[in-house]
Structures are given as structure tokens and as C-alpha cells.
Amino acid sequence: MPSSAPAAAGFLAGADLSANAIECARRASPGYLDLTSSNPTHHGLIFPPQVLRTAAEPYWATRRYDPEPRGLPAAREAITRHYLGRIPPLHLQPDHVVITASTSEAYSLLFTLLADPGDNLLAPDVTYPLFEHLAAAHHVALRTYRLDESRGWQIDEASLLARADSHTRAVLIVSPHNPTGMIVQRPIVALDQLGLPVICDEVFADFTYRVPHTPPFAALHPSLPVFMLNGISKMFALPDLKLGWIAMNAPAAATFGARLEILNDLYLGANSLTQAMLPALFANSLEFTAVMHQRIRASLDMALAMLAGCPTLRVRPPDGGYYLFARVQGWDDEEALVLHLLARGVLVHPGFFYGCEDGTHIMISCLIAPQTLERGLEIIIEALTP
Ligand SMILES: Cc1ncc(COP(=O)(O)O)c(C=O)c1O
């Protein structure tokens, strides 16, 4: 029977979507320094416009819409060359690459591909907040495995094994991890024991800090079906040009490639212009990415040196990525802590924003323009020094 009651079914139906206390305080605090941003275009990291113009030029002269379900061949070939340049080099077939509009869209396709409603996926217990909503949108459950802070946030293999059941369809891994900066550097025995497909998000792979390289995940686990996700949003600081990809190793492509192609063909989300530009972006981005990586490393150096002087903060140099995830002593209420810092003019994210329930943590993004970052850190250190 038709009802006039509010919708009780569908995505986030019944959820409380009102602003939380931190969001309300943020809206009421003009002029604070935002140390949470992940948006390079807000912090002076601007991919050279001339390289973009030159890369786009041939497209306009020969423009014709020839959609390809896995993405334009030249773009897929450029992506496979990228993996050959990773350390260790990884040889992939262009046909094993599927181009999407973003990494987030890639996740969405893979959730549909791998799981039925009621199934579950294993995800880290601390992670950037995307999986929960994506899983809800796909009617799959997330079961969290533990990252061990005392071992540099490495994956706790016992918890990985304990959390899997007969409905588990894949393991999600983020390496370098957001926000802890952990990079998976060695094969994980528990993954081979589980034998499940692995989705590894490598969007920060080029942003290394404490360790020299991010091994492409399929190089660590060649016999498991592995889907590696990446895109130009972080790699080239081009989140607005909307291009990501799924790179499959041979076991993943053999079992899932044909069905993934049909799924991607349903949407054809990646626009042809950006795909056509991609080979030139890879070829002509070296100077920019070197400057960007250098700036981020210098900001991490500065932040770690400054925070080392604050007796209530403990922060480990990250393996990679551009975030610091610091443990704060003397506070057990993260919301109160973040509000305390905001009242002094600086915004950070609380650990609970990333699902972290053990101890008190704050996240600081070192993508922020260096002067702003320095001033923000001074405020934090002053506010947290007894
Ligand atoms: C680990 C990680 N993966 C993926 C994304 C999103 O990437 P995209 O812009 O390609 O959807 C983000 C965004 O911050 C991220 O932190």
C-alpha cells in the first residue's frame, strides 16, 4: 500500500545525516587553518597547464567517439609501461587493465563483480572513510581486520584469518595506507592461506617516505587474483580530470576479466579526452612529480621534527603517503581534542573518522602548503604542551 511515511529503504535510509559537533564547530569558525585537506589543487600543487594543453591538442583535431569497454588501448598501454617502471617491475597485459572514472568507481565495480548481497569483504579496521558507504551501497558487509600500531600499522595476519568466513569474497588492502602510511613490503602468508582475491589500493604508491619503493602488490602475490587500483588523482595531482584504473594480474584477469569488461561497458565512466591525454601525461610529468614529491617529503621532515618536540604527541615516520597519524597522550576524548584545537584555529581529523578506536589519534595532512602547515603545527604543539 502506498505510504506517506519517509523512505525506509535504500541507501542510508534511516541514517542520521545531521552535522556532528566537529562539523558544526568548523562551520562556525571562520579563518581556521585546515590541516586535513587531501586536495592538491588547493595547496599550490598544480600540474603544468601547458603540458595539459599539449596533451589535449591531438584529441580535438581527430575527435571521434570510439568507446572501448576496457578503455582506450593507448591509455592501457601507457599504464602497463608505468608498472614496468615500478620496483620491482611488473609485466602486465594491456588487456588486463580496465580504465574507470576514478579509483572510487573502480572499487564500486569490483564490489559488484566479486560479491553478492549478504557477502562480506575484509577491510582494515583503520582506513580512510570510503569503504563503509560503498559496502552499504552494494549490500555487502565489511569485516575489519586489525592493523597493529605497535608494529608500524602492519596487517595483523591472525586477525585476517580469524575474520574470514564462507561468505568472504575479497580482501581490501591500502598500500601506502591512508592515514597510517604503512606500505606492505613483503608477501603476507595469511593471504596465501585464504586464497581470496585481493583489491590493493596503490594511489599513494609514488609517494614514498621512510621506505624507497612501494612494491606493486601483484609482485608480492603472483598466484592470487590481484586487482591493483590507481589513477591520476594523486599520482599527477589531477583529481578533477577523473581517470582511474584497475590493473589485473593474470590470475585475476583469467577468472574475472571478461565479466569486469561487461561491467565497465555498462557505464563507460572514464571520459575519452583524459584517456587520450594519458600517454602524454605519463611522458611529460616527471619534472612536476619530482617537485611535488620533494615538497611533500620536506613537509613530512619539517612536521616530524616539530612534533618530536611535543611531549604529548607520538608519531612514527610513515613508510609513504602524505599523512601523519599521531597518537596523543593525556586526552581520551578525540572529539573534545579536535574541538580544543579548532578553538585555537586549526582543524585536524580525529582518529575515529578513520574507524580507529584504540587510543587517541589525530590526522595531519602534509599536502598542505608548507607555511600554513608550519603555522598550524605551531598552534597544535602549543595547545598540546602541558
Ligand atoms: C587511499 C585512497 N584511495 C582512493 C582515493 C580516491 O581516489 P580517486 O580520486 O581516484 O577516486 C583516495 C582519496 O583520498 C584515497 O585516499
Side-chain angles (χ1 to χ4, degrees):
M1 201 163 61
S3 150
S4 56
F11 183 63
L12 294 184
D16 177 5
L17 302 182
S18 54
N20 64 24
I22 294 173
E23 179 56 15
C24 293
R26 187 192 70 76
R27 289 180 195 166
S29 313
Y32 62 86
L33 302 177
D34 182 357
L35 299 197
T36 68
S37 173
S38 297
N39 185 338
T41 66
H42 288 183
H43 301 282
L45 292 169
I46 304 295
F47 193 93
Q50 193 48 49
V51 175
L52 294 177
R53 278 189 212 104
T54 310
E57 200 53 45
Y59 180 80
W60 302 118
T62 56
R63 184 173 160 251
R64 189 182 134 90
Y65 186 46
D66 286 321
E68 287 272 349
R70 295 190 188 210
L72 296 186
R76 287 188 280 114
E77 280 157 23
I79 291 167
T80 59
R81 285 195 294 278
H82 161 78
Y83 285 93
L84 274 181
R86 295 273 298 271
I87 298 179
L90 189 67
H91 187 82
L92 298 175
Q93 304 289 336
D95 270 358
H96 296 174
V97 174
V98 171
I99 301 184
T100 61
S102 65
T103 319
S104 310
E105 188 191 60
Y107 274 120
S108 179
L109 295 177
L110 291 175
F111 283 20
T112 305
L113 177 74
L114 298 172
D116 287 325
D119 285 339
N120 67 70
L121 304 167
L122 301 187
D125 60 354
V126 177
T127 187
Y128 86 116
L130 172 79
F131 298 144
E132 202 180 313
H133 283 168
L134 263 186
H138 291 268
H139 308 284
V140 299
L142 284 183
R143 293 172 69 105
T144 56
Y145 62 82
R146 199 171 149 257
L147 299 183
D148 184 351
E149 183 174 9
S150 70
R151 291 189 308 115
W153 300 100
Q154 292 294 317
I155 293 172
D156 178 319
E157 300 202 30
S159 96
L160 200 54
L161 291 173
R163 297 298 283 151
D165 68 9
S166 60
H167 288 281
T168 306
R169 300 291 172 238
V171 181
L172 309 181
I173 289 180
V174 183
S175 173
H177 182 263
N178 173 0
T180 69
M182 178 275 295
I183 292 179
V184 179
Q185 290 160 75
R186 277 172 290 283
I188 297 170
V189 176
L191 284 180
D192 287 324
Q193 288 170 335
L194 289 171
L196 292 164
V198 176
I199 301 172
C200 187
D201 178 333
E202 302 183 341
V203 299
F204 293 108
D206 294 346
F207 299 85
T208 51
Y209 184 68
R210 201 185 62 85
V211 304
H213 309 292
T214 305
F217 204 81
L220 300 178
H221 285 280
S223 54
L224 287 178
V226 175
F227 301 87
M228 289 165 293
L229 309 190
N230 209 333
I232 63 173
S233 133
K234 306 286 188 246
M235 185 183 280
F236 299 145
L238 291 171
D240 47 338
L241 294 202
K242 305 308 294 176
L243 188 143
W245 62 80
I246 301 166
M248 291 176 276
N249 65 352
T255 311
F256 300 104
R259 289 195 289 128
L260 181 57
E261 174 177 318
I262 295 173
L263 258 182
N264 204 42
D265 200 23
L266 288 181
Y267 303 106
L268 292 171
N271 81 66
S272 304
L273 171 60
T274 312
Q275 293 188 63
M277 292 165 70
L278 192 65
L281 299 186
F282 273 111
N284 300 308
S285 55
L286 231 56
E287 209 177 308
F288 168 71
T289 54
V291 170
M292 172 166 70
H293 295 158
Q294 187 41 42
R295 190 184 103 176
I296 290 169
R297 286 199 188 106
S299 289
L300 285 166
D301 287 344
M302 173 184 77
L304 286 163
M306 289 176 73
L307 296 175
C310 181
T312 54
L313 280 174
R314 270 215 342 254
V315 56
R316 166 189 174 272
D319 298 337
Y322 38 64
Y323 305 111
L324 292 177
F325 199 53
R327 189 178 256 265
V328 187
Q329 272 136 10
W331 287 80
D332 52 17
D333 181 340
E334 285 179 345
E335 183 179 275
L337 168 62
V338 170
L339 292 174
H340 172 74
L341 295 176
L342 187 58
R344 278 152 188 79
V346 63
L347 179 68
V348 297
H349 277 154
F352 71 74
F353 188 77
Y354 300 90
C356 187
E357 288 175 353
D358 184 12
T360 302
H361 295 82
I362 55 174
M363 190 289 290
I364 295 164
S365 168
C366 288
L367 189 70
I368 309 300
Q371 279 186 343
T372 308
L373 179 63
E374 185 175 14
R375 181 66 202 122
L377 290 169
E378 283 168 359
I379 295 171
I380 292 174
I381 291 165
E382 205 181 303
L384 295 184
T385 301

